[in-house]
Amino acid sequence: LDGQYNAYSIEALHAAGMSAPDQYGLMHFKFNGSTFLTSDSYSDFPDNTTALGQILPYPSASLTRLTFLGASTNGPQSGTATITFTDNTTQTFQLGFNDWAARNPGNTVALTMQYLNGLQGKRMIKNYMYYMQVTLPAGKTVASLTLPTNSNIHIFGFSV
C-alpha cells in the first residue's frame, strides 16, 4: 500500500469486520448504511483504486449520496473530485482520507486493524480504513465521478 512493502493484512481486515472473500475474491463490508465490495489481494483484480484523475462512469441513477471506503499514504491527503450529472452540471468536493497508519481527526474510522503486513511479516502497527460521504442534490442524476489526481489517495470501495 505505502510503496515500502507494507500492506493491510487480510486476516486483520476480517478480524475488524470485513467478510472473508467469496468465490469471486470479493470481500463485503457494511458501514453507515452502505455496502462496499473490495477484492482480496490474491485475486486478479486490484484491491484498491489509486486516485489518478480517472473518470468513473455511473449507470444513470438518481442518488442521494456517494460513499467511499479508503485511506491515504504519506500523511493525510485530499484532492478535488468532480461529480458530473446527466444535465452537464457538476458538483466538486474534497475527497480525502487520513493516513492509514495514523489516527487523526477528520475522517470517520470504518475499520481498525491491530497489525499490518510488512516485508518481514506481521508488524504490530495499528492501522485504519476510513469512511467518507458526499451528499448529492435532490433530483439530479449522476453520470460520472472524476477522481482527484493524488496517488497517495487509495479507495477500497465505492457505494451509494
Side-chain angles (χ1 to χ4, degrees), residues 21-27 39-40 43-45:
D22 63 18
Q23 69 269 25
Y24 305 106
L26 296 174
M27 299 183 298
S39 63
D40 65 26
S43 73
D44 292 334
F45 303 102

Side-chain angles (χ1 to χ4, degrees), residues 46-96:
D47 60 3
N48 76 90
T49 299
T50 303
L52 300 174
Q54 58 272 59
I55 298 172
L56 307 174
Y58 270 75
S60 293
S62 294
L63 309 170
T64 58
R65 67 185 178 151
L66 294 178
T67 58
F68 304 89
L69 186 66
S72 73
T73 53
N74 299 309
Q77 302 285 331
S78 68
T80 302
T82 303
I83 300 165
T84 302
F85 300 100
T86 55
D87 64 3
N88 288 321
T89 60
T90 60
Q91 176 181 346
T92 59
F93 66 99
Q94 288 298 301
L95 175 61

